[in-house]
Amino acid sequence: MRELKKPTTYKEQLEKIKSRGCAVTCDVECIEQLRRIGYYRLTGYFLPFKEGERYRDRTSFTQVLSAYEFDRKMHSILSLAIEEIEVQLRSTLSYFHAHKYGEEGYINLANFSGVHAYTKFISTFLRATSKDSSLIVEHHKNHYRNRLPIWAAFELLSFSALSRFYCSLKVADKKAIAKQFDKNYHYKDVESWITCCVDLRNACAHYSRLYYHYFPREARNIPAPTLSEDDYAKRRLFAHICALQNLYPNTEAWQNEVVNPIAALIDQYGEHINLLHIGFPSDWERILRS
């Protein structure tokens, strides 16, 4: 077993960056950014520039910092888009299920695809409600013996739990819900896109790196032939943005609130980023505007 690395000072971190071949134009500014962001977080943005233990020729700290700032601002754009999808998913699932199975049908094993799926969802639901002291829970505890109708219960669940609920439904129900997004959607595609949205949401919520990052799951049935030259393009950022696009509730808002800000961001940082590092093909804008 290796020994853990010892902590280093900002000055030592600066010297390590320089010794590996990164050009730093201002030591004071570099140390300030290390203090603001943290060396460990920034090392992820050095990855595309590494060759062995050194950085490629002409790698500059400005370039690495620009990739970080691009990433940070992309988080903000996508977080708002994911919020729209999450709200719609809560509404769509609860409305459909309530009208087909009743206000408490979500706790009935018979309405799930199997015991395992039911157990997994119910355990998630019970954990969420047991820790919640909101007005929703208190009201139903005092007036309805702690029973919650599905539309109230779903306000307590995370996006991940909502995704798990959809994946646990009977195939016929998943098909019916998928067609509420688009009559031509296959339920397995919708299932994939929702889980991709969850992965993207978690990355944004925890300030994880999007740039030069592979997500754990591929996005199904997106414009793969034009994604990029990367064999793993379906696990890059662009593929997950395509999943967002397929589920986003409003076409005009998608253009104004998602695509236009992304285009502006790429214009701002295009000199310092490589679009292939986030899986963006050359015709990315055509795809996201179609």
Side-chain angles (χ1 to χ4, degrees), residues 109-132:
L109 169 60
N111 302 329
F112 287 79
S113 58
V115 175
H116 177 71
Y118 170 81
T119 303
K120 200 167 184 179
F121 171 74
I122 287 299
S123 62
T124 302
F125 170 71
L126 291 176
R127 281 197 305 272
T129 53
S130 65
K131 296 177 182 179
D132 198 292

PDB file of all heavy atoms in Angstrom, residues 109-132:
ATOM      1  N   LEU A 109     -47.629  -3.218  -4.390  1.00  0.00           N
ATOM      2  CA  LEU A 109     -46.718  -4.084  -5.139  1.00  0.00           C
ATOM      3  C   LEU A 109     -47.261  -4.467  -6.508  1.00  0.00           C
ATOM      4  O   LEU A 109     -46.516  -4.566  -7.482  1.00  0.00           O
ATOM      5  CB  LEU A 109     -46.443  -5.353  -4.315  1.00  0.00           C
ATOM      6  CG  LEU A 109     -45.724  -6.510  -5.008  1.00  0.00           C
ATOM      7  CD1 LEU A 109     -44.351  -6.081  -5.512  1.00  0.00           C
ATOM      8  CD2 LEU A 109     -45.587  -7.697  -4.058  1.00  0.00           C
ATOM      9  N   ALA A 110     -48.557  -4.636  -6.610  1.00  0.00           N
ATOM     10  CA  ALA A 110     -49.165  -5.097  -7.864  1.00  0.00           C
ATOM     11  C   ALA A 110     -48.967  -4.106  -9.002  1.00  0.00           C
ATOM     12  O   ALA A 110     -49.104  -4.471 -10.181  1.00  0.00           O
ATOM     13  CB  ALA A 110     -50.660  -5.348  -7.655  1.00  0.00           C
ATOM     14  N   ASN A 111     -48.631  -2.861  -8.690  1.00  0.00           N
ATOM     15  CA  ASN A 111     -48.487  -1.826  -9.711  1.00  0.00           C
ATOM     16  C   ASN A 111     -47.044  -1.641 -10.179  1.00  0.00           C
ATOM     17  O   ASN A 111     -46.749  -0.695 -10.907  1.00  0.00           O
ATOM     18  CB  ASN A 111     -49.045  -0.499  -9.186  1.00  0.00           C
ATOM     19  CG  ASN A 111     -50.501  -0.619  -8.792  1.00  0.00           C
ATOM     20  OD1 ASN A 111     -51.241  -1.405  -9.377  1.00  0.00           O
ATOM     21  ND2 ASN A 111     -50.913   0.152  -7.800  1.00  0.00           N
ATOM     22  N   PHE A 112     -46.161  -2.541  -9.755  1.00  0.00           N
ATOM     23  CA  PHE A 112     -44.760  -2.476 -10.151  1.00  0.00           C
ATOM     24  C   PHE A 112     -44.409  -3.686 -11.009  1.00  0.00           C
ATOM     25  O   PHE A 112     -45.154  -4.649 -11.090  1.00  0.00           O
ATOM     26  CB  PHE A 112     -43.862  -2.423  -8.909  1.00  0.00           C
ATOM     27  CG  PHE A 112     -43.895  -1.103  -8.199  1.00  0.00           C
ATOM     28  CD1 PHE A 112     -44.957  -0.784  -7.357  1.00  0.00           C
ATOM     29  CD2 PHE A 112     -42.876  -0.182  -8.350  1.00  0.00           C
ATOM     30  CE1 PHE A 112     -44.998   0.442  -6.692  1.00  0.00           C
ATOM     31  CE2 PHE A 112     -42.909   1.039  -7.692  1.00  0.00           C
ATOM     32  CZ  PHE A 112     -43.972   1.343  -6.866  1.00  0.00           C
ATOM     33  N   SER A 113     -43.230  -3.620 -11.616  1.00  0.00           N
ATOM     34  CA  SER A 113     -42.819  -4.703 -12.523  1.00  0.00           C
ATOM     35  C   SER A 113     -42.352  -5.941 -11.786  1.00  0.00           C
ATOM     36  O   SER A 113     -42.191  -6.990 -12.392  1.00  0.00           O
ATOM     37  CB  SER A 113     -41.710  -4.211 -13.458  1.00  0.00           C
ATOM     38  OG  SER A 113     -40.595  -3.758 -12.711  1.00  0.00           O
ATOM     39  N   GLY A 114     -42.114  -5.827 -10.486  1.00  0.00           N
ATOM     40  CA  GLY A 114     -41.680  -6.992  -9.717  1.00  0.00           C
ATOM     41  C   GLY A 114     -41.369  -6.626  -8.286  1.00  0.00           C
ATOM     42  O   GLY A 114     -41.339  -5.445  -7.918  1.00  0.00           O
ATOM     43  N   VAL A 115     -41.118  -7.640  -7.473  1.00  0.00           N
ATOM     44  CA  VAL A 115     -40.861  -7.428  -6.046  1.00  0.00           C
ATOM     45  C   VAL A 115     -39.596  -6.609  -5.830  1.00  0.00           C
ATOM     46  O   VAL A 115     -39.553  -5.703  -4.984  1.00  0.00           O
ATOM     47  CB  VAL A 115     -40.740  -8.785  -5.317  1.00  0.00           C
ATOM     48  CG1 VAL A 115     -40.349  -8.580  -3.852  1.00  0.00           C
ATOM     49  CG2 VAL A 115     -42.047  -9.553  -5.407  1.00  0.00           C
ATOM     50  N   HIS A 116     -38.544  -6.916  -6.587  1.00  0.00           N
ATOM     51  CA  HIS A 116     -37.278  -6.201  -6.412  1.00  0.00           C
ATOM     52  C   HIS A 116     -37.451  -4.711  -6.686  1.00  0.00           C
ATOM     53  O   HIS A 116     -36.981  -3.869  -5.915  1.00  0.00           O
ATOM     54  CB  HIS A 116     -36.213  -6.782  -7.335  1.00  0.00           C
ATOM     55  CG  HIS A 116     -34.909  -6.059  -7.281  1.00  0.00           C
ATOM     56  ND1 HIS A 116     -34.059  -6.128  -6.194  1.00  0.00           N
ATOM     57  CD2 HIS A 116     -34.313  -5.228  -8.175  1.00  0.00           C
ATOM     58  CE1 HIS A 116     -32.996  -5.371  -6.417  1.00  0.00           C
ATOM     59  NE2 HIS A 116     -33.127  -4.826  -7.615  1.00  0.00           N
ATOM     60  N   ALA A 117     -38.118  -4.390  -7.792  1.00  0.00           N
ATOM     61  CA  ALA A 117     -38.348  -2.983  -8.151  1.00  0.00           C
ATOM     62  C   ALA A 117     -39.183  -2.280  -7.081  1.00  0.00           C
ATOM     63  O   ALA A 117     -38.883  -1.146  -6.685  1.00  0.00           O
ATOM     64  CB  ALA A 117     -39.049  -2.903  -9.503  1.00  0.00           C
ATOM     65  N   TYR A 118     -40.206  -2.962  -6.614  1.00  0.00           N
ATOM     66  CA  TYR A 118     -41.082  -2.403  -5.574  1.00  0.00           C
ATOM     67  C   TYR A 118     -40.300  -2.136  -4.291  1.00  0.00           C
ATOM     68  O   TYR A 118     -40.379  -1.048  -3.711  1.00  0.00           O
ATOM     69  CB  TYR A 118     -42.225  -3.383  -5.294  1.00  0.00           C
ATOM     70  CG  TYR A 118     -43.068  -3.043  -4.092  1.00  0.00           C
ATOM     71  CD1 TYR A 118     -44.075  -2.094  -4.162  1.00  0.00           C
ATOM     72  CD2 TYR A 118     -42.861  -3.694  -2.871  1.00  0.00           C
ATOM     73  CE1 TYR A 118     -44.848  -1.786  -3.047  1.00  0.00           C
ATOM     74  CE2 TYR A 118     -43.623  -3.395  -1.757  1.00  0.00           C
ATOM     75  CZ  TYR A 118     -44.619  -2.437  -1.848  1.00  0.00           C
ATOM     76  OH  TYR A 118     -45.380  -2.136  -0.752  1.00  0.00           O
ATOM     77  N   THR A 119     -39.527  -3.123  -3.859  1.00  0.00           N
ATOM     78  CA  THR A 119     -38.760  -3.000  -2.611  1.00  0.00           C
ATOM     79  C   THR A 119     -37.768  -1.848  -2.680  1.00  0.00           C
ATOM     80  O   THR A 119     -37.612  -1.081  -1.729  1.00  0.00           O
ATOM     81  CB  THR A 119     -38.014  -4.312  -2.321  1.00  0.00           C
ATOM     82  OG1 THR A 119     -38.955  -5.379  -2.264  1.00  0.00           O
ATOM     83  CG2 THR A 119     -37.261  -4.232  -1.010  1.00  0.00           C
ATOM     84  N   LYS A 120     -37.120  -1.725  -3.822  1.00  0.00           N
ATOM     85  CA  LYS A 120     -36.117  -0.668  -3.990  1.00  0.00           C
ATOM     86  C   LYS A 120     -36.757   0.707  -3.920  1.00  0.00           C
ATOM     87  O   LYS A 120     -36.252   1.618  -3.254  1.00  0.00           O
ATOM     88  CB  LYS A 120     -35.405  -0.858  -5.332  1.00  0.00           C
ATOM     89  CG  LYS A 120     -34.065  -0.162  -5.429  1.00  0.00           C
ATOM     90  CD  LYS A 120     -33.294  -0.643  -6.644  1.00  0.00           C
ATOM     91  CE  LYS A 120     -31.913  -0.012  -6.684  1.00  0.00           C
ATOM     92  NZ  LYS A 120     -31.140  -0.477  -7.853  1.00  0.00           N
ATOM     93  N   PHE A 121     -37.897   0.868  -4.589  1.00  0.00           N
ATOM     94  CA  PHE A 121     -38.554   2.172  -4.565  1.00  0.00           C
ATOM     95  C   PHE A 121     -39.110   2.491  -3.184  1.00  0.00           C
ATOM     96  O   PHE A 121     -38.933   3.595  -2.674  1.00  0.00           O
ATOM     97  CB  PHE A 121     -39.675   2.250  -5.593  1.00  0.00           C
ATOM     98  CG  PHE A 121     -40.509   3.495  -5.442  1.00  0.00           C
ATOM     99  CD1 PHE A 121     -40.022   4.727  -5.834  1.00  0.00           C
ATOM    100  CD2 PHE A 121     -41.763   3.445  -4.840  1.00  0.00           C
ATOM    101  CE1 PHE A 121     -40.762   5.888  -5.654  1.00  0.00           C
ATOM    102  CE2 PHE A 121     -42.515   4.595  -4.664  1.00  0.00           C
ATOM    103  CZ  PHE A 121     -42.011   5.821  -5.070  1.00  0.00           C
ATOM    104  N   ILE A 122     -39.798   1.537  -2.568  1.00  0.00           N
ATOM    105  CA  ILE A 122     -40.426   1.785  -1.272  1.00  0.00           C
ATOM    106  C   ILE A 122     -39.395   2.119  -0.204  1.00  0.00           C
ATOM    107  O   ILE A 122     -39.604   3.004   0.629  1.00  0.00           O
ATOM    108  CB  ILE A 122     -41.289   0.572  -0.841  1.00  0.00           C
ATOM    109  CG1 ILE A 122     -42.555   0.516  -1.690  1.00  0.00           C
ATOM    110  CG2 ILE A 122     -41.655   0.649   0.634  1.00  0.00           C
ATOM    111  CD1 ILE A 122     -43.460   1.723  -1.568  1.00  0.00           C
ATOM    112  N   SER A 123     -38.254   1.442  -0.215  1.00  0.00           N
ATOM    113  CA  SER A 123     -37.209   1.751   0.766  1.00  0.00           C
ATOM    114  C   SER A 123     -36.702   3.179   0.577  1.00  0.00           C
ATOM    115  O   SER A 123     -36.448   3.902   1.549  1.00  0.00           O
ATOM    116  CB  SER A 123     -36.054   0.755   0.656  1.00  0.00           C
ATOM    117  OG  SER A 123     -35.432   0.824  -0.616  1.00  0.00           O
ATOM    118  N   THR A 124     -36.579   3.609  -0.677  1.00  0.00           N
ATOM    119  CA  THR A 124     -36.176   4.993  -0.970  1.00  0.00           C
ATOM    120  C   THR A 124     -37.232   5.976  -0.474  1.00  0.00           C
ATOM    121  O   THR A 124     -36.911   6.988   0.140  1.00  0.00           O
ATOM    122  CB  THR A 124     -35.972   5.180  -2.483  1.00  0.00           C
ATOM    123  OG1 THR A 124     -34.992   4.266  -2.948  1.00  0.00           O
ATOM    124  CG2 THR A 124     -35.535   6.603  -2.805  1.00  0.00           C
ATOM    125  N   PHE A 125     -38.492   5.646  -0.731  1.00  0.00           N
ATOM    126  CA  PHE A 125     -39.594   6.512  -0.320  1.00  0.00           C
ATOM    127  C   PHE A 125     -39.660   6.642   1.203  1.00  0.00           C
ATOM    128  O   PHE A 125     -39.810   7.746   1.753  1.00  0.00           O
ATOM    129  CB  PHE A 125     -40.912   5.957  -0.858  1.00  0.00           C
ATOM    130  CG  PHE A 125     -42.124   6.635  -0.301  1.00  0.00           C
ATOM    131  CD1 PHE A 125     -42.454   7.934  -0.655  1.00  0.00           C
ATOM    132  CD2 PHE A 125     -42.939   5.978   0.623  1.00  0.00           C
ATOM    133  CE1 PHE A 125     -43.567   8.570  -0.123  1.00  0.00           C
ATOM    134  CE2 PHE A 125     -44.049   6.592   1.152  1.00  0.00           C
ATOM    135  CZ  PHE A 125     -44.373   7.893   0.781  1.00  0.00           C
ATOM    136  N   LEU A 126     -39.523   5.521   1.909  1.00  0.00           N
ATOM    137  CA  LEU A 126     -39.614   5.550   3.372  1.00  0.00           C
ATOM    138  C   LEU A 126     -38.461   6.345   3.986  1.00  0.00           C
ATOM    139  O   LEU A 126     -38.656   7.067   4.962  1.00  0.00           O
ATOM    140  CB  LEU A 126     -39.635   4.125   3.925  1.00  0.00           C
ATOM    141  CG  LEU A 126     -40.903   3.320   3.615  1.00  0.00           C
ATOM    142  CD1 LEU A 126     -40.759   1.890   4.120  1.00  0.00           C
ATOM    143  CD2 LEU A 126     -42.130   3.988   4.226  1.00  0.00           C
ATOM    144  N   ARG A 127     -37.273   6.224   3.411  1.00  0.00           N
ATOM    145  CA  ARG A 127     -36.133   7.013   3.900  1.00  0.00           C
ATOM    146  C   ARG A 127     -36.393   8.500   3.719  1.00  0.00           C
ATOM    147  O   ARG A 127     -36.112   9.309   4.601  1.00  0.00           O
ATOM    148  CB  ARG A 127     -34.851   6.615   3.170  1.00  0.00           C
ATOM    149  CG  ARG A 127     -34.209   5.345   3.668  1.00  0.00           C
ATOM    150  CD  ARG A 127     -32.760   5.235   3.204  1.00  0.00           C
ATOM    151  NE  ARG A 127     -32.627   5.337   1.767  1.00  0.00           N
ATOM    152  CZ  ARG A 127     -32.704   4.304   0.939  1.00  0.00           C
ATOM    153  NH1 ARG A 127     -32.938   3.092   1.414  1.00  0.00           N
ATOM    154  NH2 ARG A 127     -32.544   4.462  -0.366  1.00  0.00           N
ATOM    155  N   ALA A 128     -36.944   8.850   2.562  1.00  0.00           N
ATOM    156  CA  ALA A 128     -37.203  10.267   2.266  1.00  0.00           C
ATOM    157  C   ALA A 128     -38.232  10.858   3.223  1.00  0.00           C
ATOM    158  O   ALA A 128     -38.055  11.959   3.751  1.00  0.00           O
ATOM    159  CB  ALA A 128     -37.667  10.423   0.820  1.00  0.00           C
ATOM    160  N   THR A 129     -39.318  10.133   3.478  1.00  0.00           N
ATOM    161  CA  THR A 129     -40.388  10.674   4.328  1.00  0.00           C
ATOM    162  C   THR A 129     -40.013  10.656   5.806  1.00  0.00           C
ATOM    163  O   THR A 129     -40.429  11.527   6.557  1.00  0.00           O
ATOM    164  CB  THR A 129     -41.690   9.884   4.126  1.00  0.00           C
ATOM    165  OG1 THR A 129     -41.437   8.485   4.319  1.00  0.00           O
ATOM    166  CG2 THR A 129     -42.248  10.092   2.735  1.00  0.00           C
ATOM    167  N   SER A 130     -39.211   9.670   6.223  1.00  0.00           N
ATOM    168  CA  SER A 130     -38.846   9.583   7.640  1.00  0.00           C
ATOM    169  C   SER A 130     -37.942  10.732   8.069  1.00  0.00           C
ATOM    170  O   SER A 130     -37.946  11.137   9.232  1.00  0.00           O
ATOM    171  CB  SER A 130     -38.155   8.256   7.931  1.00  0.00           C
ATOM    172  OG  SER A 130     -36.917   8.176   7.248  1.00  0.00           O
ATOM    173  N   LYS A 131     -37.163  11.269   7.120  1.00  0.00           N
ATOM    174  CA  LYS A 131     -36.238  12.362   7.440  1.00  0.00           C
ATOM    175  C   LYS A 131     -36.836  13.733   7.178  1.00  0.00           C
ATOM    176  O   LYS A 131     -36.231  14.752   7.496  1.00  0.00           O
ATOM    177  CB  LYS A 131     -34.961  12.211   6.602  1.00  0.00           C
ATOM    178  CG  LYS A 131     -34.162  10.951   6.901  1.00  0.00           C
ATOM    179  CD  LYS A 131     -32.968  10.853   5.973  1.00  0.00           C
ATOM    180  CE  LYS A 131     -32.184   9.580   6.226  1.00  0.00           C
ATOM    181  NZ  LYS A 131     -31.023   9.456   5.299  1.00  0.00           N
ATOM    182  N   ASP A 132     -38.024  13.762   6.600  1.00  0.00           N
ATOM    183  CA  ASP A 132     -38.612  15.033   6.175  1.00  0.00           C
ATOM    184  C   ASP A 132     -39.539  15.583   7.252  1.00  0.00           C
ATOM    185  O   ASP A 132     -40.383  14.876   7.790  1.00  0.00           O
ATOM    186  CB  ASP A 132     -39.403  14.831   4.871  1.00  0.00           C
ATOM    187  CG  ASP A 132     -39.647  16.142   4.154  1.00  0.00           C
ATOM    188  OD1 ASP A 132     -40.405  16.962   4.688  1.00  0.00           O
ATOM    189  OD2 ASP A 132     -39.078  16.327   3.064  1.00  0.00           O
TER     190      ASP A 132
END
